[in-house]
Amino acid sequence: MPIPFNKPYKAGNELDYLKQVLDSDHMSGNYGFTKKCHEFLKKQSSAEEVFLTQSATAGLEMALMLADIGPGDEVILPSFTFSSCATAIVRQGGVPVFVDVDFDSRNVTASYLEKGITDKTKLLLPVHYAGNPCEMDDILALAKQHNLIVLEDAAQGLGSAYKGKALGSLGHLGVYSFHETKNITCGEGGALLVNASEFKDRAEILWEKGTNRRQFFRGEVDKYSWVDQGSSFLPSELTAAVLWAQLQKLEEVTLHRRKIWEHYYQRFEALEERGVLTRPKINEQGNHNGHIFSVTFNEGKVRDRVLDDFRSKEMGATFHYIPLHSSPAGKKYGRVAGDLTNVNQVSERLIRLPIWYGFEAVDQVVGTVEESI
Ligand SMILES: *Cc1c(COP(=O)(O)O)cnc(C)c1O
């Protein structure tokens, strides 16, 4: 029987909530369900303010607008990440500066980020790969030393924490994704977490097309007008209704995925001891949400053979990012700082295995890996 790589989670009451929206007079954004999601995420993360967005990509774009990234400003990010981290920078006229990641955790560290710092650097963009926390104390200290803004890409990190604080709430700004490939989903969706209060007022304006509409609704101004840059970042109530149904199950989904993740981790111990592959190294200062289970083989050609075998058996397994620094747009718009050996090797050797709510075939998947190596 084919095994899908991913199956989007369904909470069960999405349709009820959608019907409530359709029966109401408000389908546009920032009504009841949006507010419920905002409150939930604020409480869950202790962020100063939360804004639902159409996607994590839109959240990153809003964050870089807020951070006032402009032509020539440099933003340092790992090369091992999703393209939207870079497109959001380039859209503002900024320059993405690509650095290496730690091989075992696949996360960027302060020492790699530091290699990219010049007098044009304005912002650091660490990515919590697989929901596994980056070493944030080091990154925040580096940012402080050089007076830089920190934007966390926690697109994969809802439900994870570093030293007891939710990912996304440690930097000045952070984003989550609710794309169907993530643990909790509304199809396409995201959120921007504003943690530094200096960004809070302006965030309200950018979110609603550059107007002070929110101040107007609070009765702080007697009419609302165009006051700044902005866009239509907010999703509709239909999206928020689906998200609300799912957010209420966050804890259950996280625990469930963690169990599957731990099962994989144990089952691969023997192969790691034989020197065939390495399992991901988890930050012990934190908690992760079981978003991705991956291993890295000792050779790229073994990874490719395993991938072929999975494909022929109709079992879902997949590689991950093609390094941004070696992609066509990365070469055109960005630059590299330091040696990127780990990014190249992780990209060639990593395989992601099926993990989703209700997935029960860990032993079969591990058996297939054992047969094909
Ligand atoms: C999924 C993802 C994104 C983009 O999320 P969207 O909601 O699809 O825009 C960005 N960064 C990382 C690391 C991701 O995994």
Side-chain angles (χ1 to χ4, degrees):
M1 229 183 24
I3 296 178
F5 173 69
N6 179 50
K7 260 195 182 183
Y9 174 68
K10 310 284 164 58
N13 40 4
E14 286 91 345
L15 271 176
D16 283 351
Y17 292 168
L18 280 171
K19 188 167 183 309
Q20 287 181 36
V21 177
L22 292 170
D23 289 345
S24 79
D25 293 325
H26 291 300
M27 283 194 273
S28 66
N30 205 16
Y31 288 96
F33 284 108
T34 302
K35 291 186 169 118
K36 283 186 201 298
C37 293
H38 283 177
E39 280 314 307
F40 179 94
L41 290 169
K42 246 170 103 164
K43 211 166 145 202
Q44 197 265 341
S45 67
S46 73
E48 182 87 15
E49 204 63 74
V50 173
F51 297 89
L52 290 193
T53 54
Q54 310 259 1
S55 59
T57 304
L60 290 164
E61 290 174 358
M62 185 172 155
L64 291 166
M65 258 190 193
L66 262 178
D68 245 336
I69 300 302
D73 290 339
E74 295 183 350
V75 175
I76 310 173
L77 73 165
S79 176
F80 192 67
T81 186
F82 196 59
S83 57
S84 38
C85 297
T87 55
I89 300 164
V90 169
R91 208 165 185 268
Q92 293 293 111
V95 180
V97 177
F98 301 114
V99 297
D100 211 2
V101 294
D102 175 62
F103 185 86
D104 295 318
S105 70
R106 297 103 202 216
N107 273 338
V108 75
T109 63
S111 58
Y112 290 124
L113 288 166
E114 191 169 18
K115 289 183 202 297
I117 293 180
T118 68
D119 56 11
K120 292 190 187 133
T121 309
K122 257 189 121 168
L123 186 140
L124 303 177
L125 206 177
V127 179
H128 303 290
Y129 183 74
N132 177 30
C134 292
E135 198 47 67
M136 287 306 292
D137 279 354
D138 295 350
I139 293 173
L140 295 173
L142 178 72
K144 203 166 180 192
Q145 188 191 337
H146 294 273
N147 199 21
L148 305 172
I149 299 165
V150 177
L151 163 59
E152 294 174 76
D153 181 338
Q156 302 174 5
L158 179 69
S160 297
Y162 172 80
K163 295 192 172 175
K165 289 193 77 182
L167 296 192
S169 72
L170 295 134
H172 299 82
L173 302 159
V175 299
Y176 289 140
S177 171
F178 309 117
H179 184 262
E180 73 173 28
T181 51
K182 306 301 200 274
N183 293 15
I184 291 288
T185 182
C186 53
E188 300 276 359
L192 173 68
L193 274 59
V194 176
N195 308 310
S197 49
E198 68 263 31
F199 293 117
K200 201 173 130 181
D201 291 346
R202 190 155 181 250
E204 291 190 345
I205 292 165
L206 300 197
W207 192 58
E208 290 211 83
K209 299 115 181 156
T211 67
N212 53 356
R213 189 162 178 266
R214 265 192 153 194
Q215 280 173 298
F216 171 72
F217 279 117
R218 285 199 299 260
E220 293 165 17
V221 289
D222 56 13
K223 55 182 183 290
Y224 79 86
S225 53
W226 179 34
V227 294
D228 200 341
Q229 296 182 42
S231 189
S232 183
F233 286 112
L234 70 170
S236 81
E237 278 290 294
L238 295 164
T239 295
V242 175
L243 183 61
W244 176 238
Q246 298 225 344
L247 280 178
Q248 289 171 88
K249 302 286 180 67
L250 174 63
E251 206 176 310
E252 184 188 332
V253 170
T254 305
L255 289 173
H256 184 91
R257 294 185 75 112
R258 272 297 295 258
K259 274 205 188 122
I260 301 169
W261 195 99
E262 301 291 347
H263 190 185
Y264 269 129
Y265 192 78
Q266 282 163 11
R267 291 286 274 105
F268 278 115
E269 186 177 1
L271 285 184
E272 187 173 82
E273 277 171 6
R274 273 174 54 195
V276 175
L277 51 78
T278 50
R279 296 174 294 173
K281 191 169 135 218
I282 296 303
N283 189 334
E284 284 170 5
Q285 305 292 332
N287 262 321
H288 74 92
N289 60 2
H291 176 58
I292 289 173
F293 187 85
S294 67
V295 293
T296 40
F297 292 96
N298 284 357
E299 286 182 278
K301 62 175 198 273
V302 177
R303 192 277 306 264
D304 293 344
R305 189 165 71 226
V306 174
L307 273 181
D308 282 347
D309 283 354
F310 271 80
R311 228 167 267 142
S312 68
K313 292 185 163 130
E314 294 184 74
M315 288 165 70
T318 179
F319 53 87
H320 215 174
Y321 311 119
I322 307 300
L324 293 183
H325 74 275
S326 53
S327 60
K331 287 183 192 158
K332 182 172 170 191
Y333 294 113
R335 72 174 178 82
V336 162
D339 181 55
L340 277 76
T341 305
N342 291 338
V343 167
N344 291 329
Q345 289 191 344
V346 169
S347 175
E348 282 166 16
R349 299 186 197 170
L350 180 136
I351 192 170
R352 286 183 291 158
L353 298 170
I355 188 164
W356 32 270
Y357 192 92
F359 174 72
E360 288 176 338
V362 169
D363 291 327
Q364 189 187 341
V365 168
V366 177
T368 303
V369 173
E370 285 167 344
E371 281 162 29
S372 51
I373 48 170

